[in-house]
């Protein structure tokens, strides 16, 4: 049954969407995938060996997206709320079992994003062999700046990636240091899931993740791509 034929018991929730830079159009979000441990120095700071692991993935709900410039409430149920600055890939075409040489054809564009993490809940889940949703897939956990279209930007393979909290640098690296490049991420992810227009892929964070407190101001960016900023509300509710 299509949406046009269905009669709903209440008004369906709005479709999440993200700004596209330089246009008034919006990118409709279908799914949000994330890559775990995709920079060696971050893998090490999380106690993992970056040499041996193929990429692995987790997900966030599509309605976790938040626009740059937002003020966020400190999330529920955590005492260790972390920032992870990341390059985000926006998918514009279906892709399944992609080949490395043609994988980028399914990319609509790129954005700067932050994979917000309730680190205490993530580590508790990880260490007890349980799912990561409580640590990663919570409300407002996927801030993202406007998407830049690959048709104009090309496909960035290097450029500084950084994040500051209250003006102090916390994360500073280069997207050239990704263990699994964007085409390789697309190859691996498309062996597990059929990629579709509207999918976002957070490609992993470099070292320097750390705690965010009420009242903090975050800004970050990727050279040549854009910047993102967030403000944390003053007080725990
Ligand atoms: Mn991450």
């Amino acid at each position: 049954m299509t949406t046009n034929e269905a009669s709903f018991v209440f008004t369906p929730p709005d479709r999440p969407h993200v700004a596209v830079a330089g246009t008034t159009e919006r990118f409709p979000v279908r799914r949000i995938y994330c890559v775990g441990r995709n920079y060696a120095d971050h893998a090490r700071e999380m106690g993992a060996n970056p040499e041996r692991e193929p990429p692995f993935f987790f997900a966030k709900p599509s309605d976790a997206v938040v626009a740059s410039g937002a003020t966020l409430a400190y999330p529920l149920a955590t005492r260790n709320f972390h920032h992870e600055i990341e390059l985000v890939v926006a998918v514009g075409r279906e892709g399944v079992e992609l080949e490395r040489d043609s994988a980028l054809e399914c990319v609509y564009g790129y954005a700067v994003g932050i994979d917000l993490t309730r680190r205490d809940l993530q580590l508790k889940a990880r260490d007890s062999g349980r799912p990561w949703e409580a640590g990663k897939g919570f409300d407002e956990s996927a801030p993202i700046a406007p998407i830049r279209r690959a048709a104009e930007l090309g496909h960035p393979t290097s450029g500084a990636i950084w994040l500051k909290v209250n003006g102090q640098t916390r994360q500073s690296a280069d997207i050239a240091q990704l263990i699994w490049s964007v085409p390789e991420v697309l190859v691996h992810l498309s062996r597990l899931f059929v990629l579709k227009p509207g999918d976002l892929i957070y490609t992993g964070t470099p070292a320097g993740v750390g705690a965010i407190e009420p009242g903090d101001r975050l800004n970050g960016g990727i050279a040549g791509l854009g910047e993102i900023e967030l403000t944390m509300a003053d007080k725990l509710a």
Side-chain angles (χ1 to χ4, degrees):
M1 183 173 279
T2 69
T3 305
N4 290 338
E5 295 163 335
S7 167
F8 295 105
V9 296
F10 51 79
T11 305
D14 291 336
R15 174 177 289 281
H17 50 79
V18 175
V20 177
T23 81
T24 55
E25 292 183 318
R26 311 286 300 186
F27 180 91
V29 181
R30 191 187 81 113
R31 292 186 183 173
I32 303 175
Y33 297 106
C34 304
V35 186
R37 295 175 208 141
N38 202 15
Y39 289 81
D41 50 1
H42 174 62
R44 287 187 202 100
E45 78 179 349
M46 297 301 292
N49 177 348
E51 311 301 327
R52 290 198 202 148
E53 293 185 359
F56 71 94
F57 304 94
F58 58 93
K60 292 175 184 268
S62 58
D63 66 355
V65 291
V66 178
S68 178
T71 296
L72 299 187
Y74 195 86
L76 298 172
T78 184
R79 294 282 175 178
N80 196 15
F81 179 45
H82 275 206
H83 55 77
E84 298 190 354
I85 188 79
E86 307 200 359
L87 171 67
V88 181
V89 179
V91 174
R93 276 198 219 168
E94 185 167 307
V96 59
E97 296 184 331
L98 292 165
E99 301 290 339
R100 194 186 185 294
D101 289 348
S102 54
L104 291 177
E105 290 172 8
C106 76
V107 174
Y108 175 81
Y110 297 89
V112 182
I114 303 178
D115 166 14
L116 290 173
T117 300
R118 294 191 290 205
R119 191 72 70 200
D120 42 359
L121 301 187
Q122 182 209 5
L123 296 184
K124 195 170 163 190
R126 184 191 72 181
D127 295 345
S128 55
R130 290 180 178 168
W132 282 18
E133 277 86 350
K136 288 291 195 177
F138 54 98
D139 296 337
E140 300 186 319
S141 60
I144 183 168
I147 294 168
R148 298 277 306 278
R149 297 190 301 142
E152 290 174 355
L153 180 75
H155 298 276
T157 54
S158 66
I161 180 170
W162 54 275
L163 183 128
K164 296 180 183 183
V165 178
N166 303 324
Q168 299 222 311
T169 299
R170 293 273 190 91
Q171 296 187 266
S172 179
D174 195 291
I175 58 169
Q177 295 169 304
L178 283 165
I179 295 171
W180 300 95
S181 68
V182 170
E184 290 166 342
V185 165
L186 292 166
V187 166
H188 282 271
L189 187 58
S190 71
R191 289 174 184 163
L192 291 167
F193 306 100
V194 178
L195 300 179
K196 300 255 188 176
D199 292 345
L200 296 174
I201 306 166
Y202 284 62
T203 59
T205 198
V209 301
I212 305 165
E213 305 295 341
D216 281 351
R217 295 184 60 88
L218 282 68
N219 69 309
I222 297 173
L225 177 55
E227 296 195 9
I228 188 169
E229 57 177 45
L230 293 177
T231 302
M232 294 303 300
D234 269 343
K235 224 176 155 301
L236 288 175

